[in-house]
Amino acid sequence: MQKLLLSISIVLISGVAFAQFGGGSGTEVDPYRIYTKEHLEELSDSIIAYNSFEGKHFRLMNNINEPLTEPIGTGATPATFFQGFFHGCNHYISVNFEEDNNSTYSLFTRLGQNSTIDSLILEGYMFRCNGFAQKNIGTISNCINNVFTNNLFFEDFDCAFFQAGICGENQGLIRGCINNSNIYNSFQIAGIAYSNFGQIYDCTNNGNIFGSNCTYTLAGIVHFNHINGIIDNCNNNGDITFSEEYLTGSFAGGICAIQLGGNIVNCKNQGKIYNKAFVFSGGISGIFKSGIILNCENNGELLGKHHIGGIVGGYYSLDFNGSSDTIGTIIKNCFNSGKISADSISYGIRGDMHYTDTVSNCLNIGEIVGSAIVDTSSNENTYISNNFYDKQM
């Protein structure tokens, strides 16, 4: 009898131990199983209670059609990071995140350095969007954002916040992700990440981006690319449209709005950039303060006010978070075929060269009224070599 009672007790205890979510023990071979909206809410409640799930694995077992109405992990004070592995298995999670004048939305609040979110699809509605995380220090891999966002303009809200298709601030790795969401009206907007201190590989933005009279910068992939930031093999196919005026120093880029260091490599812009009010617009980067742009291509048409370049709009003297003006920049092996139209000051490759900037091995075949390669009044300490253009254009 004692042995029988002991056996029953072990079974009951085991049942309680594995009753979390839809089953599983959280290991890689036996992940916690997620079937319903309630399981996602259970995960959120646990993160709010400061359970980071470090080293634990979750598997989404099916599409979740009942919309999640709050981001996972929101409400923790101070905010906590999810440190586990969430495997989407190419299923989707539906969300319905209504208007909130305190923040933009994302599926997870924060992803820690040991976390991975992979093969997950977002569907539904976000009033204002930051995709899968407000802040990512871990890995977001092979994820797709299909949500609809609100196109109405709210001045108090939109003049204060930024939006991005995959995550807000990236200090980790984003790889193989796609944004299909159109994004509207915020102070700063980017198709993949608002700011990048980490690595972004093989990502594509297909969403169109629209500015308002509160918008400061627009970019197909990243708003700020900081020192040590890498953007590699990324494509922008979305159109970038802005016809209002916010400031005299406002910027747009097919890949990056403001390049503050790091590398942009093997990237391509196919989207049309229409920025009649913006001062600096480039097929790859609007502003280029320091770093490298290598093997990049712009095929999109650029229409703007002035300081418009097929690869880079130019240099700007404003200090961005202590960024250096003296390191110099390199543009090498780049190509522009996009037509460039501006009220004044346009360049086939780059404008406003500064200090020890280099432009080499570049080709412009795009139609342009302006300088075919670079600013003809470039600083005497710049280096320009082996560049070509189509005279007929």
Side-chain angles (χ1 to χ4, degrees):
M1 179 63 71
Q2 288 179 337
K3 290 182 179 179
L4 178 60
L5 291 174
L6 178 61
S7 299
I8 293 172
S9 298
I10 291 171
V11 171
L12 290 174
I13 291 169
S14 299
V16 172
F18 297 103
Q20 281 186 294
F21 310 108
S25 59
T27 65
E28 186 173 2
V29 296
D30 184 33
Y32 292 129
R33 294 186 279 278
I34 303 295
Y35 291 95
T36 66
K37 171 189 174 184
E38 287 71 27
H39 293 154
L40 292 174
E41 291 173 338
E42 182 181 349
L43 171 59
S44 182
D45 291 341
S46 297
I47 294 172
I48 293 170
Y50 297 99
N51 185 348
S52 70
F53 292 100
E54 185 165 358
K56 298 296 184 180
H57 290 256
F58 294 79
R59 180 170 181 170
L60 187 61
M61 304 302 293
N62 49 249
N63 296 330
I64 296 183
N65 292 296
E66 185 179 1
L68 196 66
T69 56
E70 290 288 340
I72 297 171
T74 189
T77 306
T80 189
F81 288 85
F82 174 68
Q83 295 280 17
F85 300 83
F86 194 99
H87 308 293
C89 301
N90 297 312
H91 297 305
Y92 66 76
I93 292 174
S94 294
V95 298
N96 185 21
F97 297 161
E98 295 287 353
E99 179 179 349
D100 182 346
N101 290 329
N102 295 314
S103 67
T104 49
Y105 282 117
S106 58
L107 180 64
F108 284 83
T109 304
R110 297 192 178 193
L111 299 176
Q113 62 183 0
N114 299 316
S115 68
T116 294
I117 307 297
D118 68 82
S119 307
L120 181 61
I121 302 169
L122 265 180
E123 300 281 353
Y125 171 78
M126 290 185 181
F127 166 67
R128 291 290 185 262
C129 173
N130 272 317
F132 294 86
Q134 294 282 349
K135 184 173 185 178
N136 172 52
I137 308 178
T139 297
I140 304 174
S141 175
N142 298 314
C143 292
I144 301 173
N145 179 17
N146 291 330
V147 301
F148 290 94
T149 63
N150 196 302
N151 65 355
L152 298 179
F153 174 61
F154 300 86
E155 184 170 0
D156 292 343
F157 182 88
D158 286 313
C159 291
F161 290 96
F162 59 81
Q163 291 190 79
I166 301 299
C167 84
E169 180 180 321
N170 178 53
Q171 296 183 19
L173 171 65
I174 303 174
R175 183 187 293 276
C177 294
I178 299 172
N179 174 58
N180 294 320
S181 297
N182 296 334
I183 307 177
Y184 306 85
N185 299 332
S186 290
F187 182 57
Q188 295 154 329
I189 305 173
I192 300 297
Y194 159 71
S195 64
N196 180 47
F197 297 85
Q199 302 170 21
I200 300 176
Y201 291 100
D202 308 325
C203 291
T204 299
N205 174 57
N206 296 319
N208 296 321
I209 296 173
F210 302 89
S212 69
N213 60 7
C214 274
T215 303
Y216 184 53
T217 52
L218 302 171
I221 302 297
V222 168
H223 160 67
F224 274 129
N225 192 41
H226 294 270
I227 293 173
N228 300 322
I230 295 173
I231 305 172
D232 192 341
N233 197 36
C234 293
N235 296 324
N236 174 56
N237 300 318
D239 291 339
I240 296 172
T241 304
F242 186 92
S243 58
E244 303 288 340
E245 178 144 16
Y246 175 69
L247 292 172
T248 56
S250 299
F251 323 113
I255 301 298
C256 176
I258 303 171
Q259 165 80 337
L260 301 177
N263 298 339
I264 301 177
V265 183
N266 303 319
C267 292
K268 183 186 295 185
N269 175 58
Q270 302 281 88
K272 179 179 179 179
I273 302 175
Y274 176 80
N275 295 297
K276 260 304 192 185
F278 276 32
V279 178
F280 290 92
S281 296
I284 300 299
S285 186
I287 294 295
F288 195 18
K289 297 274 281 186
S290 62
I292 296 172
I293 297 177
L294 179 66
N295 302 334
C296 291
E297 178 179 337
N298 174 61
N299 299 309
E301 183 178 2
L302 285 83
L303 294 87
K305 195 170 183 180
H306 56 82
H307 291 88
I308 312 298
I311 301 299
V312 167
Y315 161 86
Y316 193 61
S317 60
L318 184 65
D319 178 40
F320 297 99
N321 302 327
S323 59
S324 174
D325 291 338
T326 60
I327 296 174
T329 66
I330 295 173
I331 299 175
K332 188 175 181 180
N333 302 340
C334 291
F335 170 74
N336 174 65
S337 67
K339 179 180 178 181
I340 302 172
S341 303
D343 293 346
S344 63
I345 317 178
S346 58
Y347 322 94
I349 299 297
R350 155 166 205 161
D352 290 334
M353 293 180 68
H354 196 67
Y355 292 113
T356 57
D357 294 339
T358 296
V359 174
S360 65
N361 302 336
C362 294
L363 171 65
N364 171 46
I365 64 170
E367 181 181 342
I368 182 173
V369 177
S371 299
I373 300 296
V374 300
D375 177 9
T376 54
S377 62
S378 295
N379 185 293
E380 63 181 4
N381 294 320
T382 57
Y383 303 92
I384 306 167
S385 64
N386 204 38
N387 301 291
F388 300 90
Y389 66 94
D390 185 344
K391 185 177 181 180
Q392 296 179 91
M393 305 303 288

